[in-house]
Amino acid sequence: MEITALNGFKDILPEEVGLWRQVEETARAIFARFAFQEIRPPVLEKTELFARSIGEATDIVEKEMYTFADKGITMRPEATAGLLRAAIERNLLAARPLRRLFTIGPMFRHERPQKGRLRQFHQLDVEALGCASPLIDAELMAMGSMLLERLGIKVSLEINSLGCPNCRPAYRDKLLAFIARRADQLCADCRRRSQTNPLRVLDCKNPECRAQVEDAPSILDHLCPDCAAHFAAVEMGLTDLQIPYLRNKFMVRGLDYYCRTTFEFITNDLGAQAAVGAGGRYDGLIEQLGGPKNTPGIGFAMGMERLVLLLQQSQEERSAVSEADVYIAALGEKAVAACLPLAHGLREHGRRVAMDYEGRGLKSQMKQADKIGAAWVLIVGDEELAGGQAVLRDMRTKEQRAVTLDVAAIGRVVGKE
Ligand code: HAM
């Protein structure tokens, strides 16, 4: 009998590997711009590491971990705990006041598989260790946004604060009192959660529970002065960087180590699995895991399966509406004349080419190219013409490269026969 793969464990096939590499290479390039260094911790860690950091009462630790109980070890359900363990154990925090690290690799959670949710999945995970400034919070969100923009993935950024051990307990009591008045209307999970981790009631997906907590007190109204100032500075940083965001008072995250800033990159294009990436601040965690005192930290992780799915979807949409492989944007009379035989030659080589002969400005031609879903735009101005060169722009990644003004050279880049 044929042996099949485990449910929720996916083979990444040769035709998919290109997109995976694109995601990984783009991520590496962006992380390098922000001076992050790679680290590769192992996939197995002591179970206690996850119980102590993610939290005993979380879904991940309670129900989703792949644990070898007799050996006391677990396959990592996320990257943060192992990365911090490595940074502490290998003394990486002593050399620099702010250590920027990233890791890329598989994680394991025994969840119910569905589109965008697997049991083995991959994360791009970044952590900035040792910086308490709210500006690093804004910077990390800007880095995530830059990566997604570079991949051509549209998301909205949602942010919240979870306060700190000074202000959260009072808020928790207030929320508990609110929940107690509506306990009868909540699902069984929420009634149980309200005992162990009442904040999680706020992000229950059940529509009836959602309706019940609609007017629950917001933690943002109950922050201590330090947490409120931190949150205000994060918002200011995002505004300065022109990163659009929304406040989401219901965001609590499924891991216990967070304090203050939390954030999620949300898409509307993946059904129920809306979070493409998520993260937040965890100021007490490094110390709690035996690291140096007062070492704050913040990070986020993006799910690579979700990024690849979104790229696949946008490619399909693009090819469904695409009327041309390449749009030739000739700027000026001379360029228009020179491009006529070029367009013809490309068509003879089987490429779909669009061009108008008006020689209008670049902006209006780019708009036209976008409208017809051209995969590439060839930009030819007088200057390029004189040098026998042109600029080819990839409309999805927005990357530009120089090419020789030659049918064969351009044809090689802009598609297959
Ligand atoms: P998380 O929200 O549990 O956070 O996961 C981060 C991202 O990993 C999610 O937004 C999602 O894209 C992806 N992901 C999670 N579970 C699955 C799954 N079963 N299948 C596919 N993709 C999944 C963390 O893991 C934190 N460690 C993030 C962090 C880093 N916080 C601070 N530093």
Side-chain angles (χ1 to χ4, degrees), residues 31 63 69 108 133 155 192:
F31 297 164
K63 325 191 258 220
F108 305 86
S133 165
V155 292
R192 189 178 52 83

Side-chain angles (χ1 to χ4, degrees), residues 314-331:
S314 77
Q315 264 182 4
E316 278 160 23
E317 274 163 29
R318 197 162 258 285
S319 62
V321 300
S322 164
E323 293 168 26
D325 300 316
V326 58
Y327 181 97
I328 299 183
L331 311 172

Side-chain angles (χ1 to χ4, degrees), residues 326-332 335-337 339-340 343 347 353-361 364-369 372:
V326 58
Y327 181 97
I328 299 183
L331 311 172
V336 169
C339 286
L340 175 68
R347 288 170 178 143
V353 183
M355 178 180 169
D356 64 33
Y357 298 97
E358 308 290 340
R360 287 172 298 136
S364 99
Q365 297 210 52
M366 292 301 285
K367 231 188 211 162
Q368 196 54 28
I372 66 167

Side-chain angles (χ1 to χ4, degrees), residues 78 80 109 111 116 118 123 125 127 253 257-258 275-276 299 303:
E78 55 108 54
T80 311
R109 292 185 197 174
E111 294 190 86
L118 289 114
Q123 281 185 344
D125 182 271
E127 312 291 348
R253 311 277 303 117
Y257 48 61
Y258 292 115
V276 171

